[in-house]
C-alpha cells in the first residue's frame, strides 16, 4: 500500500513533466490527419477530442505510441464509396452516393450503423466510424468499428421508393459485409423497415440466411427484443448511474430531449418511467413544450406510425402545448438535457443558457451532439457530462446481443435482454468513472471514456502486430 502511494506519487510528477512532450508528439499526428483528410471537419473534431485525452495514458504507457499505433488508429482500414442508382415512382432515375468505412477490426468484425440523410459525406461517416471504434471497445464485446450510409434523403419518399433504394444500396454493400467481416445496423433515417429491405436483398443476392450479417432486424426474422429501445434506454441507465455518484435520482427532475426519432423516443419513455418529467422534444423543423409531460404514445403514433412532423403533436393537443418553429430547444429550462438528434446540435451559447437555467446533468444520446466549446462550459460549471461514445453504447451493445442470439439460434425475452443491457451500461459507466479517477481527472467522463476505449483497442492492436 505504502509502495503504491510513493510509486503513484512519484509517477504523477513524472507524468506531469512528460505531458508537454507527449502533446508535442500528438500534435503532428493531428496535423497529418487534418492535411490528409482535407475539409472533413467532423472527423477532425472527433480525432482532436480523442487525442486531446491521450496525454496521461501515453505518459504512463509510452509503448502505446510505438510503431505508429496512433497514426494507424486514425486511418480507416478500408473506405468504400459507391454509386447507388434507383428509380422513383415516376420512373425517373436518381443517383446517390453510398459509403462504408471499415475503421478498425482489432477487437472483432467491423460494427456500426448506416445513416441515410442528405448531409452524409465521407467526413461524417469517418467521424462516426472513429467514434464507433472506441464506443464498441467500451462495451467489452468482440466488435470492431465501422459506419456507413448515403446522402439519400428518405423524407417524403414512398415505401416503394425506400425499398428500391435499399435494394440498390445493398446490391453493392453485400460484397463487403458478412457475419465475420462487417455487420451494419440502423442510424439516422434507417430503422426496422429499411433493415428489413436490406436484409431481404442480401438474402436474395447471396442465397444465404445469414442473420448475423445485419442487426436491428424485425423479431420474426432474427431480431432481438429490446434492440429498438436499447440506445435510448441505455443512455438513461448511464445517466442514472452518473447521477447516483452525486446522490441524485430521476424522481421529480425536469428533462429536455432533442429529436423525436428512435433514440429520443425511448429516452423519453425510460426517463418518464423512472420518475422524470420530460417537457420538450423536437425535430429538424421545431420543438414542442408540454408542461404536463410529453405524451410518448402520441409522439410514437406521429413519428413511428405516420412518419409525420412534431408540430402535429401541438395541433393534436391544442392550447396546452406550445410549438416553436426553428428556435433552440435548449432555451427550455431543465435539470437534465439529453441531446438525441444529431452532431453539433448543442453549441456554446446553448450550453451557457442551460447552465444559467440550473442544469445538473447532460447525457448524450446522439453522436457528438455537443460542440467542444459546449463541453468545456459544462465541465467548468461542474455539470455531470456523459459523452455519446459511452452513454449511447447501449444500441450497439444490444446489436452484439442480437448477434449472439443469431449465432446460437436463440431468442431471449425482453426482460432478459433489457437486464443485460442495464448491466452493460452500468459497467461502461463504472469503467469511465474509475478510469478518469485512475488517470487523475475524477468526474471527467470524456477523458475516462476516451482513455478506457483507447487502451482496449491499443492493447489488441499491439498484440496483432503492425497491420
Ligand atoms: P432517427 O432518424 O430515428 O431520428 C433522428 C431525429 O433527429 C429526428 O427527430 C430528426 O428530425 C432529428 N434530426 C436529424 N438531423 C437533424 C438536424 N440536422 N437538425 C435537427 N434535427 C435533426 O435517428 P436516431 O434516433 O437513430 O439517431 C439519433 C442520433 O443518435 C444520431 O446522432 C445517431 O448517430 C445516434 N445513435 C443512434 C443509435 C441507434 O441505435 N439508432 C445508436 C447510437 C447513436 P427530422 O425527422 O426532422 O429529420
Amino acid at each position: 500500500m505504502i509502495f503504491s502511494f510513493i510509486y503513484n506519487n512519484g509517477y504523477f510528477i513524472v507524468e506531469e513533466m512528460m505531458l508537454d512532450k507527449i502533446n508535442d508528439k500528438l500534435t503532428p499526428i493531428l496535423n497529418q490527419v487534418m492535411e490528409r483528410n482535407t475539409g472533413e471537419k467532423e472527423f477532425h473534431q472527433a480525432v482532436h477530442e480523442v487525442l486531446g485525452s491521450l496525454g496521461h495514458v501515453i505518459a504512463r504507457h509510452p509503448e502505446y505510441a510505438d510503431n505508429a499505433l496512433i497514426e494507424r488508429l486514425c486511418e480507416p482500414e478500408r473506405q468504400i464509396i459507391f454509386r447507388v442508382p434507383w428509380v422513383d415512382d415516376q420512373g425517373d432515375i436518381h443517383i446517390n452516393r453510398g459509403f462504408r468505412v471499415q475503421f478498425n477490426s482489432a477487437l472483432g468484425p467491423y460494427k456500426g450503423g448506416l445513416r441515410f440523410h442528405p448531409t452524409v459525406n465521407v467526413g461524417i461517416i469517418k467521424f462516426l466510424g472513429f467514434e464507433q471504434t472506441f464506443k464498441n471497445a467500451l462495451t467489452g464485446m468482440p466488435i470492431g468499428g465501422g459506419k456507413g450510409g448515403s446522402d439519400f434523403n428518405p423524407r417524403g419518399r414512398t415505401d416503394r421508393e425506400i425499398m428500391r433504394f435499399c435494394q440498390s444500396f445493398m446490391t453493392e454493400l453485400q460484397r463487403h459485409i458478412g457475419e465475420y467481416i462487417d455487420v451494419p445496423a440502423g442510424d439516422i433515417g434507417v430503422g426496422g423497415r429499411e433493415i428489413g429491405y436490406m436484409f431481404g436483398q442480401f438474402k436474395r443476392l447471396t442465397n444465404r440466411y445469414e442473420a448475423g450479417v445485419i442487426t436491428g432486424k424485425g423479431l420474426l426474422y432474427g431480431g432481438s427484443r429490446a434492440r429498438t429501445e436499447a440506445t435510448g434506454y441505455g443512455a438513461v441507465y448511464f445517466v442514472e448511474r452518473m447521477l447516483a455518484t452525486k446522490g441524485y435520482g430521476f424522481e421529480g427532475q425536469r428533462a429536455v430531449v432533442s429529436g423525436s426519432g428512435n433514440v429520443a423516443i425511448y429516452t423519453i419513455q425510460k426517463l418518464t418511467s423512472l420518475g422524470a418529467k420530460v417537457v420538450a422534444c423536437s425535430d429538424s423543423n421545431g420543438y414542442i413544450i408540454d408542461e404536463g409531460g410529453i405524451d410518448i404514445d402520441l409522439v410514437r403514433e406521429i413519428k413511428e406510425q405516420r412518419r409525420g412532423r412534431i408540430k402535429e403533436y401541438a395541433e393534436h393537443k391544442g392550447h396546452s402545448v406550445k410549438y416553436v418553429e426553428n428556435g433552440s430547444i435548449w432555451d427550455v429550462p431543465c435539470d437534465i438535457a439529453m441531446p438525441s438528434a444529431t452532431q453539433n446540435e448543442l453549441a456554446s451559447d446553448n450550453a451557457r443558457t442551460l447552465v444559467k437555467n440550473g442544469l445538473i446533468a447532460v447525457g448524450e444520446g446522439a453522436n457528438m451532439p455537443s460542440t467542444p466549446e459546449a463541453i468545456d462550459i459544462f465541465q467548468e460549471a461542474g455539470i455531470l457530462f456523459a459523452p455519446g461514445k459511452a452513454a449511447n453504447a447501449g444500441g450497439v451493445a444490444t446489436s452484439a446481443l442480437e448477434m449472439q442470439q443469431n449465432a446460437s439460434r436463440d431468442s431471449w425475452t425482453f426482460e432478459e435482454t433489457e437486464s443485460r443491457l442495464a448491466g452493460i451500461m452500468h459497467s461502461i459507466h463504472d469503467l469511465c468513472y474509475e478510469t478518469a479517477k485512475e488517470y487523475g481527472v475524477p468526474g471527467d467522463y470524456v477523458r475516462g471514456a476516451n482513455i478506457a476505449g483507447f487502451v482496449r483497442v491499443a492493447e489488441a492492436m499491439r498484440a496483432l502486430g503492425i497491420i
Side-chain angles (χ1 to χ4, degrees):
M1 201 60 198
I2 292 173
F3 171 75
S4 154
F5 172 73
I6 295 166
Y7 178 71
N8 282 337
N9 208 22
Y11 204 55
F12 181 70
I13 294 161
V14 175
E15 205 169 275
E16 286 301 309
M17 281 165 31
M18 284 175 72
L19 271 184
D20 282 347
K21 261 196 181 156
I22 286 158
N23 290 333
D24 286 351
K25 208 167 170 180
L26 292 173
T27 306
I29 302 178
L30 187 61
N31 288 340
Q32 192 190 41
V33 167
M34 292 174 78
E35 273 166 31
R36 187 174 270 167
N37 305 281
T38 321
E40 297 174 2
K41 58 182 189 335
E42 291 84 4
F43 181 49
H44 300 169
Q45 183 182 333
V47 175
H48 195 280
E49 190 211 280
V50 170
L51 295 200
S53 298
L54 298 188
H56 288 86
V57 71
I58 303 299
R60 212 170 280 192
H61 296 284
E63 68 276 15
Y64 291 155
D66 288 348
N67 298 320
L69 190 148
I70 298 172
E71 288 90 328
R72 282 187 282 137
L73 195 52
C74 294
E75 182 67 18
E77 289 178 18
R78 191 173 298 111
Q79 307 181 51
I80 303 148
I81 303 183
F82 51 98
R83 180 172 68 199
V84 190
W86 59 281
V87 185
D88 70 17
D89 287 349
Q90 285 67 48
D92 292 328
I93 294 168
H94 298 258
I95 307 294
N96 282 99
R97 190 168 278 183
F99 303 90
R100 187 71 186 168
V101 172
Q102 299 178 330
F103 220 104
N104 193 299
S105 61
L107 290 172
Y110 311 104
K111 180 92 197 83
L114 299 169
R115 176 177 292 191
F116 293 168
H117 195 272
T119 55
V120 163
N121 57 44
V122 71
I124 300 258
I125 300 296
K126 265 151 81 174
F127 120 63
L128 290 164
F130 184 74
E131 290 277 292
Q132 193 83 44
T133 301
F134 303 102
K135 178 190 308 190
N136 293 2
L138 289 174
T139 67
M141 298 167 108
I143 42 179
K147 199 83 186 186
S150 173
D151 57 2
F152 171 69
N153 187 357
R155 186 166 326 154
R157 289 295 170 193
T158 64
D159 195 54
R160 288 291 168 96
E161 289 174 326
I162 298 283
M163 182 176 73
R164 286 194 293 273
F165 176 81
C166 289
Q167 290 177 337
S168 181
F169 184 84
M170 183 51 85
T171 299
E172 174 60 31
L173 188 69
Q174 56 95 16
R175 301 170 202 280
H176 311 289
I177 60 175
E179 185 182 346
Y180 295 102
I181 304 169
D182 183 354
V183 184
D187 191 73
I188 293 179
V190 178
R193 173 180 61 163
E194 293 75 17
I195 295 289
Y197 292 148
M198 286 190 273
F199 181 57
Q201 183 73 350
F202 178 88
K203 192 173 77 58
R204 180 184 181 203
L205 291 168
T206 60
N207 196 30
R208 279 167 66 84
Y209 207 105
E210 189 181 325
V213 74
I214 196 164
T215 59
K217 298 182 293 298
L219 287 183
L220 282 174
Y221 56 94
S224 171
R225 291 185 177 83
R227 173 60 188 93
T228 308
E229 295 82 358
T231 308
Y233 281 17
V236 175
Y237 284 131
F238 190 104
V239 172
E240 183 184 40
R241 192 88 162 182
M242 180 171 77
L243 289 175
T245 64
K246 300 283 181 197
Y248 299 130
F250 281 125
E251 200 57 51
Q253 306 280 13
R254 203 180 139 89
V256 167
V257 178
S258 63
S260 49
N262 171 267
V263 178
I265 285 174
Y266 294 99
T267 297
I268 296 170
Q269 194 180 67
K270 187 51 86 180
L271 279 170
T272 308
S273 77
L274 293 176
K277 192 202 261 187
V278 182
V279 293
C281 68
S282 62
D283 62 21
S284 53
N285 294 118
Y287 64 91
I288 50 163
I289 306 176
D290 185 344
E291 289 293 347
I294 297 288
D295 173 351
I296 196 61
D297 293 335
L298 180 55
V299 176
R300 289 185 64 189
E301 188 200 316
I302 294 167
K303 287 292 181 178
E304 292 183 337
Q305 288 165 33
R306 287 196 272 120
R307 297 177 194 278
R309 310 304 301 157
I310 203 65
K311 77 166 175 218
E312 292 166 38
Y313 182 102
E315 286 160 7
H316 186 275
K317 287 266 179 177
H319 293 309
S320 60
V321 173
K322 191 170 160 198
Y323 173 65
V324 183
E325 195 142 284
N326 302 316
S328 169
I329 192 172
W330 309 120
D331 290 342
V332 181
C334 60
D335 305 304
I336 296 166
M338 297 202 58
S340 306
T342 194
Q343 64 275 358
N344 292 329
E345 55 162 306
L346 197 167
S348 52
D349 51 339
N350 309 128
R352 267 184 224 104
T353 306
L354 283 164
V355 171
K356 185 170 64 81
N357 287 339
L359 182 79
I360 58 171
V362 179
E364 294 191 323
N367 284 311
M368 210 169 75
S370 313
T371 64
E373 299 76 23
I375 297 173
D376 288 345
I377 290 167
F378 289 138
Q379 291 189 325
E380 274 159 30
I383 305 293
L384 289 164
F385 180 82
K389 72 165 72 67
N392 72 30
V396 74
T398 308
S399 275
L401 297 179
E402 182 174 330
M403 291 162 73
Q404 275 184 31
Q405 292 170 77
N406 294 150
S408 58
R409 305 260 191 276
D410 201 357
S411 176
W412 307 336
T413 62
F414 192 96
E415 292 68 28
E416 160 82 12
T417 320
E418 194 191 352
S419 110
R420 289 195 193 214
L421 166 68
I424 292 167
M425 294 315 296
H426 288 165
S427 348
I428 296 175
H429 170 277
D430 294 355
L431 176 66
C432 298
Y433 182 83
E434 292 302 331
T435 305
K437 209 157 72 174
E438 184 190 337
Y439 282 88
V441 283
D444 185 340
Y445 287 88
V446 174
R447 286 201 212 171
N450 286 337
I451 294 173
F454 168 79
V455 166
R456 285 188 173 164
V457 181
E459 287 285 1
M461 286 177 73
R462 274 165 48 74
L464 295 173
I466 303 170
I467 49 170

